[in-house]
Amino acid sequence: AGYTTVLWDFDGHGTNPAPMPSGSGGGSLQATAEAVLADALARGYGDPDRVAILGHSMGSGVAMTFGIDHAGTMATIAVSPTGAEVTPELPRNLLLMAGSLEGRFVRNAEERLAEAGGESGDHAAGRARDLIEVPGVEHITILFSPTAHAASRDWLDATFGAQPGARNYTDRRMLWYGLGAVGALLLGSGLAPLVADPGDAAAVKPRRPVWRRLAALAVGAVGATLILWLVSLAGVELHQMLGLLVGGYLLIWFGIAGVLSLLLLWVWPGAPEPRALLGGLLAFAVLWLGAGLLAEWVWLPWLLIPRRLLLWPLGIVLTLPWFLAAGETVRGTGLGGRAGWWLAHTLVLAVALFLALQLSPSLGYLILILPMFPIIIGLHALAAAPHRGSWPFAISGALFVSWMLLAVFPLQ
C-alpha cells in the first residue's frame, strides 16, 4: 500500500526478553510504543509529521491512548478495541473495528464511538470517526480478514491520500500456511509406518468403559480448576505462575488435571517402547514444523528465546499426565471414535477453563486462547492418529502444547 510499517514486540511478548511489569496497566506498553517511534524516526523511517498507529485488542488501547497523548498522530485504528479516554477531538481520525462474533468487543467499539462523537467523515480536520463490524470473524480471525485489511488501508488512504507506487494486494499467507500444515500432516502420515509397531500391545489392552474415560477427564479438569482456585484464596497470584502471564497457570493446570484423570482411570502405562517414543517425536516434528515454524512467517513468533526455552522441560513434565490420560481415552478407537473424543476433549477443556475465568477474573487472558483450543487439539489428534498406543499421543501433545503456551503468553 506504499506505507512504511514498523512492527515490534512489547515488553514480555515474542522475542522481547524484558518482562511485562505486573499491575502497570498500559503504562509500560505505551512507553514501548513511544520508544519504537523514536527509534524508527532516528533510523530515518517515515515522516514524523505523518504518523498513524494501528493496534489489536490490548494493542488497541495502546493505539488509542497514543493517539490521544500524541495529538499529531494523524490516524488511529483500533481493532477489537478495549478502553481509552477518547473524545470528539482525540484521537484524530479514529477507526474502530470488531468482529461480528466477538460481541463484547463490538459493544466496546460502540461505546468508544459514542464517546468520540459518533460517525463523521471529516478526515481533513482529523474528526473522522467510524465503526466497522467485520462479518463472520472473532477475536483471532479478524486479524486475517481481507475485509479488515481493506478497511484499514482505505482509512489510511482517506487520511494521507493514496501513496505513490501503491498496488492492490490481498494477503493470502493464511491459505499457504494452511496448505503447508496439511502437507506436513500428510508427510507425517506417510512416514508413520516406518516407526509404527503393528503388534503394539497397547492398542489391544483392555480399555475402561466410555463413561469412565469421559468422567475421568471431566472430573480431572474441573478438579484442577477448583484446586487452583482454592490455592488462590491463600494469596497465590494464579496469573503470574512460573513467570508467565496466565501461561504458567495453564501448564500447572494441565499437570494437576492429568494426574487426577490418571488416578480416576486407575491406569499408568509402563515406560514407552522405543517405537512409541519415535512415533511421538515424529508427530511432534510434524506439528512443530507445519503448524509452528510456518507460523513464524505469518502470525506467531514461534522460536523461543532462551528464557522461554528454559521453561520447556518443566512444561513438558506438567502437560504429559493430561495427554497421557487423553491418550488412554482414544487408544484403540477408529476415525469416528477419535472425532468424538476430540469433541469431548475440547468441551471438557472449554468448560473447565471457562469456570476458571468465572472464579478467577485475573485469568482474563484465557479468553484469547480458548477459541484456539479446538484447532490445537484437532491438529494434534490428526498428527498422532497414525501412531498406536497412548504414549505417542502423550509425548507429541506434551511437547507441542507446552511449546505453544510458552510461545504465546507474555513474560512477567
Side-chain angles (χ1 to χ4, degrees), residues 45-125:
Y45 298 157
D47 182 343
D49 297 321
R50 291 165 54 83
V51 172
I53 187 167
L54 181 153
H56 168 253
S57 191
M58 178 187 71
S60 73
V62 177
M64 289 185 287
T65 302
F66 186 95
I68 294 167
D69 292 346
H70 300 268
T73 305
M74 294 183 67
T76 296
I77 301 174
V79 184
S80 301
T82 55
E85 297 179 358
V86 300
T87 69
E89 290 77 32
L90 293 173
R92 299 173 65 190
N93 295 330
L94 174 63
L95 174 63
L96 300 152
M97 274 191 285
S100 62
L101 303 182
E102 50 172 357
R104 167 188 165 193
F105 292 95
V106 172
R107 292 190 294 274
N108 285 347
E110 291 170 344
E111 292 172 2
R112 300 294 84 74
L113 181 63
E115 293 166 357
E119 292 184 8
S120 169
D122 192 356
H123 285 85

Side-chain angles (χ1 to χ4, degrees), residues 226-364:
L226 295 176
I227 288 171
L228 287 171
W229 172 64
L230 291 174
V231 168
S232 73
L233 297 181
V236 175
E237 297 286 349
L238 297 182
H239 64 289
Q240 296 182 15
M241 287 179 159
L242 302 183
L244 282 174
L245 184 62
V246 177
Y249 169 88
L250 281 172
L251 291 172
I252 293 172
W253 181 92
F254 273 118
I256 297 172
V259 170
L260 290 176
S261 297
L262 287 172
L263 289 173
L264 291 167
L265 284 169
W266 200 248
V267 62
W268 189 272
E273 297 292 331
R275 284 182 176 272
L277 179 60
L278 288 174
L281 292 175
L282 174 59
F284 166 65
V286 166
L287 293 167
W288 193 90
L289 292 169
L293 188 60
L294 290 181
E296 182 80 20
W297 287 276
V298 183
W299 70 284
L300 174 68
W302 182 249
L303 300 177
L304 301 182
I305 60 175
R307 183 177 168 188
R308 295 177 184 272
L309 192 59
L310 287 173
L311 288 171
W312 191 39
L314 176 60
I316 296 168
V317 171
L318 288 171
T319 52
L320 186 64
W322 174 263
F323 285 97
L324 198 51
E328 280 295 308
T329 66
V330 301
R331 178 175 54 83
T333 59
L335 182 61
R338 284 181 176 267
W341 279 110
W342 163 78
L343 179 60
H345 194 175
T346 299
L347 288 174
V348 165
L349 286 174
V351 169
L353 295 177
F354 183 77
L355 176 61
L357 273 171
Q358 304 309 305
L359 295 174
S360 306
S362 64
L363 299 173

